[in-house]
Amino acid sequence: MDNFTLNIPTKIFFGRNQIKVLGRQIEKYGATRVLICYGSKRIKREGLFQTITDKLTDRGLFYTELGGIEPNPRITSVREGVRICREENIDFILAVGGGSVIDCAKAIAGSVNYEGDPWDFFLRKAAINKAIPIGTVLTLAATGSESNGNAVVSNIETQQKLAVYSPILWPKFSVLDPEYTYSVPPFHTAAGIADIMSHIFEQYFSPTPDTFTQDRLAEALLKTCLKYAPIVMEKPNDYTARAEILWAGNLALNTLLSLGREGDWANHSIEHEVSALFDISHGAGLAILFPNWMKYVMDDNNTDKFYNLAVNVFGVAESADKKAAALEGIDRLRTFYNSVGLPARLSETGVEEDSLRKMAEGAVRFGEIGEFKKLKSKDVLAILKMAY
Ligand code: NZQ
Ligand code: ZN
């Protein structure tokens, strides 16, 4: 286990009716002028927008809005948000939605005080060192963006989807009410669960030795996903199941699992290339890629890790033939994704085969990817072909 510092700065308000804290939380940061960011008009139809604005108005807080933020949010929305913030002297951003809305809000928050174009941060031409505070009201269990400093944004003109990280982009607080996730349709529920599981895999498959506690924590969260996924798919309004998934999603990417070890993150780099070109759902892309990556990188030196996953999480019987058991575990992962309605092949999602090479090159634009197994462009291409 490596040295680490545990610092999870986002305050989480978890459970029914925790929205009651909203006004007071915003005021804590001395803010009086709020930009509410959201995606479709769904939050207006469902009444959540009204609930939120009532809370702000009750405390005399000014608000304005930026709606229409796309799934796989675009840099054009970030620019529009920056314009509104400057024009309206916004001093707090409230993101209401899933990872896309939250990421867009973070990028806006980090760009308001920057004179150049926000895309510079994603191209690593500049670093975010000043941001206005943000808070979130999460409506989809998936990315963990509600308590981390990452933002992933797409640029349609350049056909790129890139990530930025800054410690000052962590939301100040996040409201996680499982009831707000009841309305998530089956496909996005399943894709969110695949994203959560992928975050766990990215940290579980680590080159760092001696991570027993971290590995068992990761396995527990994976088991939560396997246990509650069929329940939320069948009964979307099951509070307990939604709550378990929501909490697992938060723990999967709030840095807890990353402590004391390096993560891999190759699958995320590859998936971002896929969704940059074809705008597919991030979680669905990961569900296609991960089993193929597992088969590609498993070798005689790392079979134990896959064997532990198979036995401890997927219930494969212990066996002297560790490789066979490990492969059975990977097959069970594939079967699980099929069972919740996720696609198994890139060809099912509209991805065109002649784009695979471009994706493979894009994935390694900043150098080799992966820490558990380092991948060059040729390796990425091989994985994409297996997944096609
Ligand atoms: O526009 P709305 O109405 O919000 O619709 C969304 C969207 O169409 C819908 N939805 C969300 N909550 C709902 C709901 N529909 C009904 N009822 C609800 N309660 O679901 C659709 C997908 O939403 P989106 O926010 O795009 O999904 P997700 O949370 O999976 O976010 C995906 C984005 O996050 C990035 C991904 O790359 C992708 O761009 N990621 C961000 C990360 C981070 N910041 O740490 C890490 C991840 O690995 C990921 O890369
Ligand atoms: Zn992800």
Side-chain angles (χ1 to χ4, degrees), residues 285-313:
L286 289 165
I288 297 169
L289 290 169
F290 243 111
N292 290 293
W293 172 88
M294 289 177 175
K295 286 190 176 164
Y296 185 81
V297 304
M298 192 169 83
D299 62 28
D300 291 346
N301 300 322
N302 62 26
T303 310
D304 274 0
K305 198 90 198 197
F306 292 93
Y307 176 76
N308 286 341
L309 179 73
V311 172
N312 297 343
V313 176

Side-chain angles (χ1 to χ4, degrees), residues 143 195 198-199 268 282 286:
T143 62
D195 191 25
S198 301
H199 296 156
H268 269 70
H282 171 66
L286 289 165

Side-chain angles (χ1 to χ4, degrees), residues 144-209:
S145 185
E146 72 278 8
S147 57
N148 68 44
N150 308 318
V152 185
V153 171
S154 296
N155 186 328
I156 296 300
E157 277 170 40
T158 62
Q159 294 191 309
Q160 288 168 310
K161 180 178 186 183
L162 299 174
V164 72
Y165 171 81
S166 169
I168 58 170
L169 291 183
W170 282 70
K172 299 296 180 199
F173 67 86
S174 286
V175 175
L176 274 61
D177 183 335
E179 291 187 351
Y180 296 160
T181 68
Y182 284 175
S183 55
V184 180
F187 177 76
H188 285 302
T189 298
I193 290 169
D195 191 25
I196 294 168
M197 293 176 70
S198 301
H199 296 156
I200 302 168
F201 292 142
E202 297 278 25
Q203 297 165 96
Y204 186 78
F205 290 102
S206 161
T208 311

